Amino acid sequence: MTASTTPAGGWPVAIAGLGVRLPDRVVTNDDLAEVLDTSDEWIRTRTGIRQRHVAAPEEATSDLAAAAARDALADAGLEAAALAAVIVATTSPDHAVSATAPLVASALGVAVPAFDLNAACSGFVYALRVASGMVATGDGAVLVVGAETLTRVVDPEDRSVAVLFGDGAGAVVLVPDPDARLGPFVLGADGGGASMLWTASGGTRRPFDAEVLADRSHYLTMRGGDVYRNAVVRMTESAREVLELAELSVGDVDLLVGHQANVRILDAVAARLGLPAQLSQVSLDRHGNTSAASIPLALWDAREQGKLRDGDTVLLAAFGAGATWGACLLTWKER
Ligand code: UT7
């Protein structure tokens, strides 16, 4: 079931700063076609992806997250000392135990509450929901980072997933702002759909051992068609519910920033909502699917392209492993 979880008007919270980190190494479709039985043509026409960034061997999720966080703090004109909490949305943490967020807070030089949130590709929307409540109820500025190194979790020999994912991080600093809105939010989850997209082994259900290593079941597997269909339905439904809650129509939306998995999913969601395709941000052509990082990376990309103006109503929508999904509205504030 999808649940409404915030005031219809959203929380009086704004994005004060936005920052990103994309690893230096770019891997094109042609590069992948040299090592896998695939082609630029297949990847482009099925997904819209042209290239993705891949972390260097010494880079892990917390390194990308900390770099994006520093960028976001500089953008906000704030010192890390101003932060009340750090939330990292990730499904590819540095370690199974412990969390990535404390490493990020430590890299920033602060000892504030810091925790991870794993809702896979919906993680950034989920984390915004948690953080907005904290900011609105008096905690102060909260850093939300979506960060992933999913290229470490996919089987490099499995063309059905290896071509889809990329690494990166995007961060926002949320602050109280009576003139802004963050929300309402609609979030949902259905664990019955977990096996559509998961790593079957390597967790507590089936711990990593020699057998797992041999059958490669610690790598990510996906029933692509099922995920595709569910993503279109859930992203569209939750976006519609959010607009209804806010008593807005699709004509009030200045930009849709959907989870960047497949341009065909984004086009189908926009078409079902009745939103012109040019009002849907597409960044996956250059980033691939970066899971929890994809929405903040796409927001940043939209700002770089001059597509965000002060007061704009931005609609976010995501679907991911879990299965999880969610949507929310935000007011873009130029600073
Ligand atoms: O981030 C979380 C959410 N994730 C998503 O939203 C992903 C959702 N799913 C998708 O985007 C699409 O389902 C995919 C892009 C993953 C796959 O596209 P598709 O149109 O559903 O292709 P398919 O899986 O039905 O495969 C079609 C064919 C198959 O060959 P046969 O059986 O028709 O002979 C595959 O073996 O394409 C083949 N194929 C490939 N060919 C070249 C699969 N991967 C590749 C590849 N290169 N990389």
Side-chain angles (χ1 to χ4, degrees):
M1 272 296 287
T2 299
S4 139
T5 51
T6 33
W11 300 107
V13 171
I15 293 177
L18 172 62
V20 298
R21 165 77 178 134
L22 285 161
D24 298 336
R25 184 170 160 233
V26 171
V27 173
T28 65
N29 294 344
D30 284 334
D31 293 334
L32 288 175
E34 281 178 24
V35 290
L36 283 170
D37 179 17
T38 189
S39 65
D40 173 56
E41 207 261 334
W42 192 95
I43 302 169
R44 260 189 308 104
T45 54
R46 297 285 176 140
T47 71
I49 297 166
R50 287 191 285 117
Q51 62 170 51
R52 69 286 296 141
H53 292 252
V54 175
E58 68 279 6
E59 272 176 322
T61 296
S62 69
D63 302 312
L64 303 180
R70 285 192 195 95
D71 199 23
L73 284 165
D75 190 45
L78 289 174
E79 299 292 329
L83 294 175
V86 173
I87 305 176
V88 175
T90 187
T91 196
S92 50
D94 285 23
H95 305 277
V97 180
S98 55
T100 301
L103 299 173
V104 175
S106 179
L108 298 175
V110 291
V112 294
F115 58 95
D116 288 3
L117 191 155
N118 182 355
C121 303
S122 312
F124 189 74
V125 177
Y126 267 65
L128 284 184
R129 166 65 188 91
V130 173
S132 61
M134 293 172 74
V135 175
T137 53
D139 277 341
V142 175
L143 176 74
V144 176
V145 193
E148 306 279 9
T149 41
L150 274 169
T151 61
R152 302 265 159 78
V153 184
V154 296
D155 184 345
E157 295 176 12
D158 180 355
R159 69 177 184 173
S160 71
V161 287
V163 303
L164 305 176
F165 294 96
D167 302 331
V172 294
V173 181
L174 299 183
V175 296
D177 184 334
D179 299 326
R181 161 176 55 204
L182 183 48
F185 286 80
V186 167
L187 305 176
D190 174 12
S195 65
M196 274 192 297
L197 174 54
W198 70 0
T199 55
S201 305
T204 56
R205 177 69 60 194
R206 188 178 173 210
F208 192 84
D209 59 16
E211 217 173 285
V212 169
L213 183 64
D215 69 21
R216 302 175 86 83
S217 59
H218 56 300
Y219 284 127
L220 190 110
T221 54
M222 174 165 69
R223 298 200 301 274
D226 289 344
V227 175
Y228 186 105
R229 280 184 290 279
N230 276 280
V232 172
V233 170
R234 295 301 193 181
M235 285 168 68
T236 307
E237 274 177 359
S238 43
R240 273 198 195 121
E241 281 180 50
V242 150
L243 289 171
E244 260 169 45
L245 279 173
E247 296 181 357
L248 294 177
S249 75
V250 75
D252 296 311
V253 175
D254 296 299
L255 191 68
L256 168 66
V257 180
H259 167 54
Q260 306 281 310
N262 188 321
V263 74
R264 290 155 55 213
I265 294 176
L266 294 177
D267 287 349
V269 171
R272 285 178 183 215
L273 289 173
L275 189 85
Q278 67 270 21
L279 295 187
S280 170
Q281 182 63 22
V282 177
S283 307
L284 59 87
D285 54 328
R286 284 149 294 137
H287 304 159
N289 181 347
T290 57
S291 191
S294 90
I295 287 181
L297 282 170
L299 257 184
W300 169 82
D301 196 32
R303 184 177 68 176
E304 291 290 294
Q305 294 173 353
K307 290 186 191 166
L308 288 171
R309 294 168 305 271
D310 192 48
D312 274 0
T313 296
V314 182
L315 174 61
L316 310 184
F319 179 86
T324 57
W325 58 91
C328 71
L329 288 167
L330 65 86
T331 311
W332 183 256
K333 298 287 286 182
E334 206 51 67
R335 289 172 184 267

